[in-house]
Amino acid sequence: MTGLFSSFGLAEILALGASFTYSLTYIFLRQGLRSGSPLAGVLIMDGIVGSLALIAATVHGTLQTSSLIPLLWFAAAGCVGQGLGQMASFTGIQRMGVSRAAPIQGASPIWSISLAVLFLGESPGLLVWIGAGTIVIGIGWLSQPEEGQGHSAWEWFQGAVIFPFSASILFAIMPVLAKMGFTFQNTPFVAIGTAFGTATVFLLGARFGAGLGGEIQANRRSLIWFSMAGLSTTASAGLFWTGLTIGNVSILMPLSRLAPLWVVLWSYLFLGHIERVTRRIVFSAILIVSGGALIMAFK
């Protein structure tokens, strides 16, 4: 245990903080999606995060001194993660419920470790891969349909699981692209503002240019919840992207995705009237989080 805590540095602490604050985002989204559409939620959240980050970057003077190449990397990260990834994430939460969709999206560390090895030259140890395997087991168990749902496992995957599963891959690609940008300049607020701002423009273009993404629908109630999600995501993004400037993707991604355990707790406390948290969901979430802890302990 002493070895585990002694391995914590600033980057790891920031990633853990990001996992906690983003777990609140899941709860706010679940409430907002009761009366608002996924696309509306994504646009509101991305718009808030992008605007606040660009204001912060302007105040700090880092936006004015930015160069084009890193901005392009940050924009690509935004289109993949905050654009396509968030859309898939929101749709999964709407169809499956937050306590089931969130842990499935916790598969991101598996893909991020692989991508970090291939494109960033990182070299995680064997036990890091074992931790990733533990996450896979938890996800596989969690993604099975409940009894009485009337669907085969394949139908359940096609209709619901495919969305958080796709989001996990897209979210894994995002930090690799961001890390490419950080090799040119360590400006997290510029990166966040560019990524989330680009994602907003990208999704609007896809919706009105190609008719993709569904309807933009939100009433007063959903606007409040989506705005709260934007604020919590701003905090989470600030912590995680700052961590990326000083830490490795293969370590920080698993830590930032420990949100499922928090989500299960919040679901039990605040969403009991919307969705049921079963023993299998709890145990699956524990498996996923344990895999992340193993990755951290033996990085």
Side-chain angles (χ1 to χ4, degrees):
M1 183 64 70
T2 302
L4 173 61
F5 283 103
S6 64
S7 65
F8 271 52
L10 177 59
E12 287 78 19
I13 293 173
L14 291 172
L16 286 174
S19 75
F20 179 83
T21 51
Y22 199 72
S23 70
L24 299 176
T25 296
Y26 280 119
I27 301 304
F28 297 149
L29 292 179
R30 179 56 168 154
Q31 292 286 6
L33 290 172
R34 295 177 66 188
S35 56
S37 66
L39 182 57
V42 174
L43 290 173
I44 293 170
M45 191 178 77
D46 284 359
I48 290 174
V49 178
S51 298
L52 292 178
L54 288 176
I55 291 173
T58 302
V59 171
H60 283 84
T62 53
L63 180 61
Q64 298 89 318
T65 58
S66 296
S67 56
L68 178 61
I69 293 179
L71 291 181
L72 292 177
W73 281 113
F74 299 148
C79 290
V80 171
Q82 282 67 45
L84 295 174
Q86 290 287 19
M87 192 64 206
S89 172
F90 279 33
T91 303
I93 291 173
Q94 186 182 52
R95 294 196 179 194
M96 296 182 66
V98 65
S99 59
R100 301 195 68 187
I104 293 173
Q105 292 175 30
S108 289
I110 303 168
W111 320 121
S112 64
I113 292 174
S114 301
L115 293 171
V117 170
L118 290 174
F119 298 105
L120 299 178
E122 298 181 9
S123 54
L126 175 61
L127 290 176
V128 172
W129 289 102
I130 293 176
T134 303
I135 294 173
V136 172
I137 294 172
I139 293 167
W141 195 6
L142 185 75
S143 61
Q144 292 297 311
E146 298 285 354
E147 293 183 6
Q149 283 182 319
H151 298 283
S152 68
W154 176 242
E155 290 173 334
W156 177 243
F157 179 82
Q158 288 180 303
V161 180
I162 184 63
F163 294 103
F165 181 78
S166 298
S168 73
I169 298 176
L170 294 166
F171 287 149
I173 296 173
M174 181 272 294
V176 175
L177 296 174
K179 195 74 173 178
M180 295 290 191
F182 286 141
T183 61
F184 295 92
Q185 59 180 57
N186 282 338
T187 52
F189 286 114
V190 172
I192 295 168
T194 303
F196 281 83
T198 301
T200 304
V201 176
F202 174 80
L203 289 172
L204 285 173
R207 172 64 185 85
F208 294 105
L212 302 176
E215 296 298 321
I216 301 177
Q217 177 181 343
N219 57 20
R220 181 178 180 182
R221 180 184 180 281
S222 62
L223 284 174
I224 293 174
W225 286 113
F226 289 151
S227 297
M228 292 176 65
L231 294 176
S232 61
T233 303
T234 300
S236 179
L239 293 169
F240 178 66
W241 289 64
T242 300
L244 278 179
T245 65
I246 57 177
N248 291 334
V249 171
S250 58
I251 301 301
L252 300 187
M253 269 299 286
L255 290 178
S256 70
R257 296 297 165 176
L258 295 184
L261 193 60
W262 297 111
V263 170
V264 171
L265 175 61
W266 305 148
S267 297
Y268 175 77
L269 293 176
F270 304 114
L271 298 179
H273 61 293
I274 301 177
E275 52 187 78
R276 184 168 58 96
V277 178
T278 65
R279 291 181 179 179
R280 187 174 70 177
I281 290 175
V282 172
F283 186 70
S284 299
I286 290 174
L287 278 178
I288 295 169
V289 171
S290 297
L294 189 64
I295 292 170
M296 175 58 212
F298 297 99
K299 64 177 183 177

